[in-house]
Amino acid sequence: MTEKLFKLKENHTDVKTEIMAGVTTFMTMAYILAINPSILGSTGMDPTAVLLATCIASVIGTVCMGLMANLPFVLSAGMGLNAYMAYTVVAGYGYPWQVALLAVFVEGIVFIVLSLTNVREAIFNAIPVVLKKAVSVGIGLYIAFIGLQNAGLCVDSSATLVTITGFRKNFTTSGICALLTIVGLFITIILYIKKVRGSILMGIVATWVIGMICQLVGLYVPDAESGYNSLFPTMSLTDFSKLGETFGQCFNVDMHSIGIFNFIVVVFSFLFVDLFDTLGTLIGVCSKADMLDEKGRLPQIKPALLADAVATTAGAVLGTSTTTTFVESSAGVAAGGRTGLTSITAAVLFALSMFFAPIFTAIPSFATAPALIVVGFLMFSSITDIKFDDGNYTKAIPAYLCILSMPLFYSISEGISLGIISYVVINLVCGKRKDITPLMYVLAVLFVLKFVFLYVKLSKNSFDTSHAFLFILLQNENWRKMIKKRQPLPTAAFVICFLLSL
């Protein structure tokens, strides 16, 4: 039965490896069960309801991924998208959380349509192989950076933006946690080098156990007000009736008080970030796991994207933010996961966590941080597939910008944006138009428009300038001919100026 469903032999794996990989992925992302209720709870949503909605949406999406696509990817409420919903849409724009959930629901419906019509698949296939490798490397740095932050090793600095933590300051809380991360990192690295099966999971558990010992001897002192809770899980059950406070509330919205244009802007923001975060994760993890074919395509991309869209739609109805494929899935892939059995294992653990949430949420961040750092290294190793010689600069430089942007801008989608824009511009100007697919031109223009409309505060002078450029373009006979022939550069310039002049 298992072999028939997941084709284990064909993927060179076995049940034990897949289950171990699923447990590993779950443990590296179990923090979402603690963080998402905290973030969305700031909007007025009940934290327990958010926890239950997050678990159920994760189960739905992950089971769909495992059975429909047979891929070892796990889905849950996306970090960044939950913060955007809570702190920008609700706190910043002043919209009720019901409106934000409705925007997520509409986004999910749009994604289902795009997935069924092959639009998302076409975008995935249009991205050059070199950028797909770069995305894998960039995500590696990105999740390693997240690991360093979660551990408290990397902290804010007014002088240099980030710096290493001061271990002596608050040693019994942040100091010892950072130190335990370093200990756990060495444990995980040594186990992995020695090719111990389940080394990443064993590293997480070992670090957690050492932390418990530190608490017993007084080296770690819980401080709930500062976010340092007891490392020993409590035995308590969840109140399932709370789910009724968020279930179906996305349809309880007064659209007249919002304005349709404002609502569309919110939907577009969710749509854009989720689209390329998901594609980036799939590209990066699949590239590292050698799941892409010789053309850099993923055969199971369509059901994978559909699973993501279904999970987002269901999550909005249940009462949680956008559900997406987690980059921590790479931890399970690094542990040997290759099929949907890894996903199903993680889905079972998400279902169990609804009943025993306090146990799973007790996994400290310093215990999972070493796993993220090690997985970051494994994904970073794809950089050897990118050629940096003189004759390959038109591909290597966009790949470099893509890699650089992800950790520094703290966004997978921004890395993809700059990678695609720079790839099109550099190859076009350097006379290598044959290396650019038509869809890449479209993506480049869309990314430029995203930066213009989402990040640039346009003044009256901006509109006057765009009018002037539009006038010049239309007055020039050569430009008019090129636009009529739909040549990429002049057409893109015309579209941007036209939209800015509206």
Side-chain angles (χ1 to χ4, degrees):
M1 179 66 175
T2 306
E3 174 62 35
K4 187 177 180 180
L5 268 177
F6 303 110
K7 302 176 182 177
L8 301 179
K9 290 181 181 178
E10 183 182 321
N11 289 282
H12 310 291
T13 184
D14 54 54
V15 173
K16 184 179 178 180
T17 300
E18 293 294 301
I19 292 176
M20 189 73 75
V23 174
T24 300
T25 298
F26 175 79
M27 292 191 73
T28 58
M29 59 184 287
Y31 65 85
I32 194 66
L33 299 180
I35 293 178
N36 206 44
S38 174
I39 291 176
L40 298 188
S42 66
T43 67
M45 300 174 71
D46 183 84
T48 302
V50 173
L51 172 66
L52 290 170
T54 302
C55 288
I56 298 171
S58 301
V59 170
I60 293 172
T62 305
V63 167
C64 287
M65 181 69 75
L67 296 181
M68 292 166 54
N70 194 28
L71 290 173
F73 303 142
V74 182
L75 292 82
S76 193
M79 288 295 294
L81 289 163
N82 53 4
Y84 176 78
M85 172 178 162
Y87 305 130
T88 302
V89 178
V90 178
Y93 299 159
Y95 299 142
W97 56 264
Q98 291 89 341
V99 172
L101 287 179
L102 179 60
V104 173
F105 176 79
V106 173
E107 172 209 353
I109 296 296
V110 172
F111 270 165
I112 290 174
V113 174
L114 292 179
S115 299
L116 291 174
T117 55
N118 298 327
V119 173
R120 295 176 83 185
E121 182 179 357
I123 294 172
F124 182 94
N125 294 334
I127 297 174
V129 174
V130 67
L131 285 185
K132 288 177 179 175
K133 297 292 183 182
V135 168
S136 178
V137 177
I139 290 176
L141 291 176
Y142 175 66
I143 64 173
F145 187 40
I146 291 174
L148 292 171
Q149 286 184 307
N150 289 350
L153 273 168
C154 181
V155 295
D156 294 340
S157 169
S158 58
T160 59
L161 292 182
V162 293
T163 188
I164 191 169
T165 187
F167 290 91
R168 292 186 178 182
K169 186 179 180 181
N170 301 320
F171 180 77
T172 57
T173 52
S174 60
I176 187 63
C177 287
L179 191 59
L180 284 168
T181 297
I182 296 175
V183 173
L185 182 59
F186 281 114
I187 291 172
T188 307
I189 289 171
I190 292 169
L191 290 173
Y192 189 85
I193 291 174
K194 289 183 173 292
K195 298 183 179 180
V196 177
R197 296 189 72 175
S199 55
I200 294 176
L201 176 59
M202 290 174 67
I204 294 172
V205 175
T207 309
W208 188 8
V209 171
I210 295 171
M212 291 179 184
I213 295 171
C214 288
Q215 182 174 331
L216 288 174
V217 300
L219 288 175
Y220 174 87
V221 179
D223 182 2
E225 291 186 1
S226 300
Y228 297 94
N229 299 311
S230 172
L231 301 179
F232 293 90
T234 57
M235 297 300 294
S236 59
L237 297 178
T238 309
D239 182 5
F240 284 87
S241 65
K242 292 287 187 179
L243 184 60
E245 297 188 21
T246 57
F247 184 82
Q249 290 300 307
C250 62
F251 305 116
N252 186 21
V253 174
D254 179 15
M255 289 298 296
H256 295 291
S257 61
I258 308 161
I260 189 65
F261 178 78
N262 294 330
F263 182 73
I264 290 173
V265 170
V266 174
V267 171
F268 176 79
S269 300
F270 276 120
L271 192 71
F272 208 91
V273 175
D274 186 26
L275 172 63
F276 288 97
D277 268 9
T278 301
L279 287 178
T281 301
L282 289 174
I283 289 169
V285 180
C286 289
S287 176
K288 183 58 191 172
D290 294 324
M291 293 179 178
L292 303 179
D293 62 20
E294 63 279 359
K295 294 182 179 179
R297 299 179 178 184
L298 177 64
Q300 307 99 312
I301 182 68
K302 190 171 183 177
L305 294 173
L306 187 58
D308 182 89
V310 169
T312 292
T313 307
V317 176
L318 290 162
T320 190
S321 52
T322 303
T323 305
T324 188
T325 306
F326 256 57
V327 70
E328 282 82 357
S329 299
S330 53
V333 170
R338 290 295 181 273
T339 73
L341 184 55
T342 295
S343 302
I344 298 300
T345 301
V348 169
L349 292 175
F350 267 113
L352 290 174
S353 66
M354 290 190 290
F355 299 93
F356 306 105
I359 296 176
F360 292 104
T361 56
I363 303 171
S365 57
F366 68 75
T368 58
L372 296 178
I373 296 169
V374 170
V375 171
F377 159 75
L378 297 175
M379 298 194 71
F380 182 82
S381 63
S382 297
I383 198 168
T384 57
D385 296 326
I386 301 173
K387 297 179 181 178
F388 289 96
D389 54 275
D390 291 358
N392 207 50
Y393 278 168
T394 55
K395 294 182 176 66
I397 291 175
Y400 162 73
L401 293 174
C402 176
I403 294 168
L404 188 69
S405 303
M406 286 189 188
L408 295 185
F409 296 157
Y410 211 76
S411 171
I412 295 172
S413 62
E414 299 298 5
I416 296 175
S417 299
L418 291 178
I420 288 177
I421 292 171
S422 60
Y423 185 92
V424 171
V425 171
I426 292 172
N427 280 276
L428 187 62
V429 174
C430 293
K432 295 191 174 183
R433 291 174 55 183
K434 292 182 180 180
D435 292 335
I436 310 171
T437 61
L439 190 52
M440 283 289 285
Y441 287 114
V442 176
L443 291 175
V445 172
L446 288 175
F447 279 127
V448 170
L449 292 176
K450 183 197 78 166
F451 285 121
V452 169
F453 288 109
L454 294 184
Y455 297 133
V456 180
K457 186 176 181 181
L458 298 174
S459 64
K460 184 179 183 299
N461 290 334
S462 302
F463 292 102
D464 291 341
T465 304
S466 62
H467 273 113
F469 274 116
L470 189 62
F471 178 77
I472 292 170
L473 287 178
L474 294 176
Q475 287 296 312
N476 187 290
E477 185 177 350
N478 291 329
W479 275 86
R480 287 203 308 272
K481 289 180 180 179
M482 287 188 288
I483 291 171
K484 285 181 180 180
K485 291 180 180 179
R486 297 180 182 178
Q487 292 187 13
L489 186 58
T491 303
F494 172 77
V495 170
I496 293 171
C497 290
F498 175 75
L499 289 170
L500 288 176
S501 67
L502 295 177

